[in-house]
Structure formats: C-alpha cells, structure tokens
Amino acid sequence: GQVFNVATGSVNTILNMTGYERDLIRSILIALVAETVCMIVLAPFLGGIAFALAYSLYIVVQNSAAAVALNKRLGINVLHVFTGRRAILS
C-alpha cells in the first residue's frame, strides 16, 4: 500500500490545495467502504492480517480515486508510470 502511495505522490494534498476538497472526500469515502467490506469479509479467516490487507487496499483505492480526480480536474496524470508515458501532463 505504501509503495503505491509513494508512486502516486501527493495527490491528496494537491486536490486539497486547489479547492477540490469534495473530490478528496469522495475518494476517502469510496476507499473507506472498500476497506470496511474487506475487513468484514476477511477478518474471520485471516485475523489481524486481514486488517493490514484492508488498510493497504484503502491506501490503493483512495490514492487511485484521488489520482483519477486530479487527472480529470487539473489534467495532471500521476499514474503515467503505469501507462508507459513519460509526461505527467495530459
């Protein structure tokens, strides 16, 4: 989860600084739902490891949603590493 956090960079801070707090809150809520479902489903089988996996999922989902919002609102593509492109501006 933290590796993906480093790969996407400061997407949360950029959204917050540029006035797109609603997009940031939306990405947090989406990730929170995914994390909660993951915890409920996996906790009986994996115990404490399920919570670590759920938190990693939270980080990946939240940063992905924030990165998509950042690309949509400001045209900054921080996921260029995964697409093979060199430029971060679309």
Side-chain angles (χ1 to χ4, degrees):
Q2 288 298 328
V3 170
F4 191 80
N5 189 21
V6 170
T8 55
S10 303
V11 290
N12 301 325
T13 306
I14 295 171
L15 283 175
N16 199 19
M17 288 187 330
T18 54
Y20 295 110
E21 293 91 358
R22 288 187 180 191
D23 290 331
L24 179 59
I25 291 170
R26 189 175 299 121
S27 71
I28 291 170
L29 291 175
I30 290 168
L32 184 64
V33 169
E35 179 187 30
T36 304
V37 169
C38 185
M39 279 191 211
I40 291 170
V41 171
L42 294 180
F45 304 108
L46 298 176
I49 294 176
F51 296 106
L53 290 172
Y55 185 66
S56 291
L57 176 71
Y58 171 83
I59 292 172
V60 170
V61 169
Q62 197 274 323
N63 279 357
S64 297
V68 168
L70 189 65
N71 191 16
K72 178 182 171 188
R73 300 289 187 187
L74 299 174
I76 300 172
N77 183 9
V78 296
L79 298 176
H80 65 90
V81 174
F82 302 108
T83 62
R85 291 185 177 176
R86 299 184 103 193
I88 61 171
L89 297 176
S90 46

